[in-house]
Amino acid sequence: MSTTLEAPSLRRPGHLFIGGTWQAPADGGGIDVMAPFNEQVFARVGEAGRADIDAAVAAARRAFDEGPWPRLRPAERAAKLLEVAAQMEKRAEDLASAYTNQVGMPHRIAQMSGGGAIALVRYFAGLGETFPFEDVRPCPQGGIAVVVREPVGVAVCIAPWNAPLHTMLLKVIPALLAGCAVIAKPSPETPIDALILAECIEAVGLPEGVFSVVTAGRDVSDYLMRHESVDKVSFTGSTTVGRHIASVCGERMTRFTMELGGKSAAIVLDDISVPDAVAAMMPHIVLLAGQQCAALSRVLVSRKRRNELVEAMAAAMRHVPVGDPYDAATLMGPLIAQRQLDRVNGYIAQGTREGARLVTGGGRPRGLERGFFIEPTLFTDAENSMVFCREEIFGPVAAVITYDDEEQAIRIANDSPYGLSGGIFTQDKERAYAIARRVRTGNITQNGRIIDFTLPYGGFKLSGLGREGGPEGLDAFTEVKTVFLPTPPAHLTAAS
Ligand code: NAD
């Protein structure tokens, strides 16, 4: 891994995109961006201070209160979003390199996921035609009611570093379609995608103030989400920070959506072959070096099949190619930073201390001296009550826990402060569905783990509040207004 990375091709490096123009940070701040696989600082972006936040919020407020964007028809906003998708298509390679260089995502997977990001923008643009922005209903007291979904206002979109483009687009695009003015706040580890997105939006010319990007650290981000002119905070990140933001928003009734952490269970039933279960499960443990909110980190298996499953999982983990994300053979890159490596190592030590047995992994892969790499790691003899089975590790670490019968498997799956995702590994769709209905989690899949931006995604319990993706993800950026009239207005009569 001796390759020296080039700086990303940004139009105005070191600048913030505020109110439709590129501006140098008022106090001259900057953030170094490091590639986690070779520890090279390959970019420096601007760091917003409070004055920059005030400027971005003021521009967004003006755009929302006085500008044309919220008053356009949804189809007109959708047309602009399709232009943004076309711009992103031109920048596909820049976006893929940004993903690889910032996160260490294997480049061929980063390239494929770029197509998904563009499809996401087009999908939401399509909702401009079909979403019930104005819904005429009969009123029992006479006349009709138009149930209108209006934009929620100035929306702050805060994203984490693990999938920086997708997590940001899932907020920014529906917010723009709804008619909001948007301030995007990417993670300081991964700001490049949002800046490229700003260039794409600049190229299509949205009205002034409708979209800003402020790259900022924790304190200034805190200042932003507390700003009294903000109407909605859409947050994806850790449960710790999410709880803090939700409590601040709750005090002021600022609307919020929380996409937080997880500790999801894979329930392996006896009717599926172990090799089939392992093949279907493994990507959801090791991809992104396990830094997936929906990682299947607790693997539940019947006592009698435990040894067979553990052996097969361990063999599969030992064969995962870990290393240079630009090597076409690599499936798993590094963790994001030294502090994440320390955190994962801490949980591995904790699992051992608590009495679980380390089967494979737990160390630095041989031959990878630089970068924040860790081996895929498997524990068995784990108990669901152990701390490392209750807290989110956010690394490629799975714990095998045994159950005696299906009832106990469901109880263990539900015995978690989180409820984000899950998998049921079986040949029997009836059993899979029956179990799925009893697991308290936001999404669950038979024989794998699907996340799809056309369908709602989000968490029960400490995994969050609200949903992203699908029409529900657009609804999250609207307020409902009910207008009573004797008969529908002309434009709605004509449409029906
Ligand atoms: P984090 O909570 O540390 O940071 C997330 C974002 O919040 C970053 O942009 C950060 O700069 C910002 N932030 C931090 N403190 C803030 C504050 N006081 N006010 C405003 N903004 C603040 O999380 P992370 O380490 O970047 O990401 C990992 C976490 O994200 C994991 O817990 C993972 O499960 C979660 N995640 C959840 C989903 C989901 O859809 N549920 C998806 C991806 C990641």
Side-chain angles (χ1 to χ4, degrees):
M1 257 179 295
S2 54
T3 328
T4 304
L5 302 173
E6 285 175 16
S9 61
L10 294 176
R11 216 163 73 68
R12 301 297 302 273
H15 284 57
L16 309 166
F17 190 65
I18 294 181
T21 59
W22 292 97
Q23 299 181 18
D27 57 10
I31 301 173
D32 288 332
V33 187
M34 179 191 279
F37 49 94
N38 65 4
E39 300 178 45
Q40 181 197 329
V41 172
F42 69 95
R44 187 168 169 80
V45 301
E47 180 171 19
R50 291 184 176 211
D52 305 305
I53 298 296
D54 288 340
V57 175
R61 195 71 260 168
R62 270 195 310 279
F64 186 76
D65 293 340
E66 299 157 28
W69 187 251
R71 283 157 275 280
L72 293 178
R73 286 185 297 110
E76 293 173 303
R77 291 193 292 267
K80 277 292 183 196
L81 293 180
L82 289 176
E83 290 178 36
V84 172
Q87 291 296 325
M88 286 172 64
E89 216 154 26
K90 290 187 199 160
R91 302 294 298 274
E93 189 45 44
D94 290 340
L95 288 167
S97 302
Y99 200 0
T100 301
N101 292 348
Q102 296 174 113
V103 184
M105 173 58 104
H107 196 56
R108 69 194 159 82
I109 304 177
Q111 286 170 317
M112 284 186 296
S113 85
I118 293 158
L120 181 159
V121 179
R122 295 201 166 118
Y123 164 74
F124 278 107
L127 287 184
E129 296 290 347
T130 57
F131 186 77
F133 284 101
E134 293 172 292
D135 184 17
V136 180
R137 301 187 198 171
C139 172
Q141 294 184 38
I144 58 100
V146 188
V147 179
V148 187
R149 284 183 166 75
E150 298 191 343
V152 69
V154 171
V156 166
C157 300
I158 304 177
W161 44 260
N162 65 330
L165 181 61
H166 284 74
T167 48
M168 188 60 92
L169 289 176
L170 269 169
K171 304 173 185 309
V172 166
I173 301 301
L176 288 173
L177 179 64
C180 295
V182 175
I183 300 169
K185 209 302 291 178
S187 168
E189 279 89 3
T190 53
I192 310 288
D193 328 63
L195 294 167
I196 296 174
L197 178 64
E199 291 182 10
C200 295
I201 287 178
E202 182 188 27
V204 311
L206 298 195
E208 195 183 307
V210 165
F211 183 71
S212 294
V213 176
V214 287
T215 41
R218 187 167 289 250
D219 289 350
V220 172
S221 304
D222 200 270
Y223 178 74
L224 167 63
M225 70 85 184
R226 289 173 183 276
H227 214 287
E228 60 178 15
S229 292
V230 169
D231 299 302
K232 162 101 192 186
V233 178
S234 178
F235 174 81
T236 300
S238 62
T239 293
T240 306
V241 175
R243 279 173 136 165
H244 164 68
I245 294 177
S247 67
V248 172
C249 291
E251 189 66 34
R252 291 207 335 250
M253 291 290 165
T254 302
R255 277 64 178 130
F256 63 82
T257 301
M258 293 286 146
E259 293 284 346
L260 309 177
K263 193 74 192 178
S264 299
I267 302 176
V268 182
L269 300 185
D270 283 346
D271 69 327
I272 187 169
S273 82
V274 162
D276 284 352
V278 172
M281 186 193 310
M282 204 47 69
H284 314 298
I285 297 173
V286 301
L287 275 183
L288 258 174
Q291 300 164 117
Q292 314 169 34
C293 51
L296 299 177
S297 49
R298 294 182 296 146
V299 179
L300 316 188
V301 65
S302 69
R303 203 169 293 280
K304 63 175 184 276
R305 294 220 302 170
R306 196 258 323 257
N307 290 351
E308 191 191 348
L309 183 82
V310 166
E311 275 169 34
M313 285 184 72
M317 281 184 166
R318 288 187 195 107
H319 282 98
V320 171
V322 182
D324 183 347
Y326 282 103
D327 182 335
T330 296
L331 193 66
M332 188 179 116
L335 297 170
I336 189 74
Q338 182 62 48
R339 69 161 201 289
Q340 189 65 17
L341 183 57
D342 294 343
R343 174 189 166 95
V344 173
N345 278 326
Y347 278 112
I348 291 171
Q350 168 100 29
T352 308
R353 262 199 321 276
E354 290 183 295
R357 183 163 61 83
L358 182 66
V359 184
T360 189
R364 179 178 272 277
R366 220 174 297 149
L368 294 172
E369 268 68 53
R370 280 187 84 73
F372 310 116
F373 289 97
I374 186 143
E375 295 169 315
T377 300
L378 184 67
F379 279 95
T380 187
D381 299 342
E383 297 289 339
N384 197 51
S385 56
M386 293 175 176
V387 172
F388 93 115
C389 293
R390 303 197 73 74
E391 297 183 359
E392 184 183 49
I393 298 176
F394 227 49
V397 182
V400 174
I401 301 170
T402 52
Y403 64 78
D404 291 319
D405 55 30
E406 202 171 291
E407 284 303 310
Q408 195 190 16
I410 295 168
R411 261 201 314 278
I412 296 171
N414 282 334
D415 180 11
S416 170
Y418 294 104
L420 188 56
S421 189
I424 303 162
F425 295 83
T426 174
Q427 307 287 11
D428 183 342
K429 68 171 189 297
E430 304 300 332
R431 265 175 96 196
Y433 187 67
I435 293 174
R437 292 299 306 270
R438 295 182 58 195
V439 179
R440 290 183 50 76
T441 190
N443 73 71
I444 187 159
T445 308
Q446 182 185 358
N447 296 336
R449 194 219 54 204
I450 297 174
I451 299 175
D452 192 298
F453 55 74
T454 68
L455 293 160
Y457 179 76
F460 283 34
K461 302 189 266 182
L462 288 188
S463 290
L465 200 68
R467 295 294 179 267
E468 289 189 333
E472 290 82 357
L474 173 55
D475 210 21
F477 289 97
T478 67
E479 288 275 12
V480 175
K481 177 184 284 179
T482 309
V483 183
F484 295 97
L485 297 170
T487 56
H491 74 283
L492 292 176
T493 317
S496 60

